[in-house]
Amino acid sequence: MNYYYDILVNLNDYLYEFYEWEKSDNIIAIKKTPVIKVKSQTIIDFLTKNIILDEKVATELMGKTICKNNIEKIDAFLITDCKTALFVEFNQEGKIIYRSKLLIEDENNLNEVATSLKKTEIKYQTKEELKLTKETRQTLKEKREIKAELESLKYSKNKDKCDYLYYELFHKNSEDYDLALEEMQDGLDKLPASKIHHFAHLINLTKEESL
């Protein structure tokens, strides 16, 4: 079995790119973990679908990953096709429960090392598709903030604030308060990231002015 050493991983319910990691995330320092060179389709499957490892594969990999504290061991391993690397953790049933990208330097180093490894066929079952989004973590966060603010406006009946946000978003006036809120909520998922960022910024400005 081949191993790789000294990497950082981010074990969250959602798979974040390395540049979206935050200090509050579950970032773990890994001292030693198995690494398997696989075909590109395996990488695609692990990134896009729920995966259940073959029982024999899971048994062989169980407890082989050591965290930096030298005490904790987890059921996890690395896969790479020499272009994309992925760290995965699985449960006792062999189901992949967490996925993590690597920091760019770690990924480049691993992929270089993996060129000399023999490609291995991993046995696994593919299940339902994972819920994926092309939006960045920041955009999703701003959307949640906007939705929360629009929901609060339903109850506060702050017409001035509603009119201001509506005009800034659509560059027109609205005479109907409830309809304006509905249009802003419905239009949120159709806005580009730049507009979402601008809208969230406007909401933050209105909050600061009310202090």
Side-chain angles (χ1 to χ4, degrees):
M1 187 174 291
N2 298 298
Y3 290 90
Y4 196 72
Y5 302 85
D6 300 323
I7 58 171
L8 291 177
V9 298
N10 188 1
L11 301 181
N12 270 288
D13 292 331
Y14 188 81
L15 179 65
Y16 294 116
E17 296 291 344
F18 71 91
Y19 50 80
E20 293 189 287
W21 291 11
E22 296 180 354
K23 291 182 179 179
S24 59
D25 289 342
N26 187 28
I27 298 174
I28 298 174
I30 301 296
K31 181 178 181 180
K32 176 183 177 182
T33 187
V35 56
I36 304 172
K37 183 178 177 179
V38 298
K39 58 185 180 182
S40 296
Q41 184 58 50
T42 299
I43 296 288
I44 293 171
D45 287 344
F46 274 62
L47 284 172
T48 61
K49 298 175 182 176
N50 279 298
I51 299 292
I52 298 180
L53 299 172
D54 177 81
E55 184 178 353
K56 183 179 179 181
V57 174
T59 300
E60 289 176 350
L61 293 168
M62 201 166 287
K64 293 293 195 299
T65 293
I66 304 173
C67 298
K68 272 290 180 77
N69 56 23
N70 286 324
I71 299 173
E72 184 181 3
K73 294 183 179 180
I74 60 176
D75 301 328
F77 59 100
L78 280 166
I79 55 174
T80 176
D81 62 354
C82 296
K83 292 181 291 185
T84 301
L86 187 67
F87 181 87
V88 297
E89 182 181 355
F90 59 95
N91 61 18
Q92 291 185 338
E93 287 74 42
K95 182 179 180 180
I96 302 300
I97 53 175
Y98 294 118
R99 297 162 175 78
S100 175
K101 295 289 186 72
L102 304 185
L103 297 176
I104 189 65
E105 184 177 354
D106 287 339
E107 182 171 48
N108 288 340
N109 291 338
L110 171 62
N111 287 336
E112 185 176 348
V113 169
T115 58
S116 62
L117 300 180
K118 183 180 178 181
K119 194 174 291 185
T120 301
E121 187 82 26
I122 302 177
K123 291 184 178 181
Y124 58 88
Q125 297 176 43
T126 56
K127 298 296 183 179
E128 64 274 10
E129 298 277 341
L130 294 172
K131 293 181 179 179
L132 303 174
T133 177
K134 294 182 179 179
E135 294 178 310
T136 66
R137 187 175 192 176
Q138 180 64 27
T139 299
L140 292 172
K141 181 180 180 181
E142 289 174 341
K143 272 191 173 183
R144 289 194 295 269
E145 292 173 352
I146 293 169
K147 288 178 179 179
E149 183 64 19
L150 294 178
E151 189 66 25
S152 72
L153 284 175
K154 284 184 179 180
Y155 304 98
S156 68
K157 298 299 180 182
N158 188 334
K159 188 175 187 306
D160 289 340
K161 187 173 185 177
C162 180
D163 289 344
Y164 167 70
L165 293 175
Y166 185 87
Y167 183 82
E168 289 292 330
L169 188 60
F170 298 116
H171 302 293
K172 62 181 182 179
N173 295 314
S174 175
E175 300 299 324
D176 189 308
Y177 185 87
D178 292 329
L179 183 59
L181 285 178
E182 185 178 331
E183 286 184 29
M184 284 190 284
Q185 289 174 324
D186 291 344
L188 197 56
D189 290 329
K190 302 173 185 176
L191 295 177
S194 58
K195 271 279 193 180
I196 293 291
H197 179 69
H198 177 64
F199 199 12
H201 178 64
L202 291 176
I203 286 175
N204 286 329
L205 286 177
T206 62
K207 289 180 179 179
E208 291 173 5
E209 290 174 358
S210 64
L211 295 177

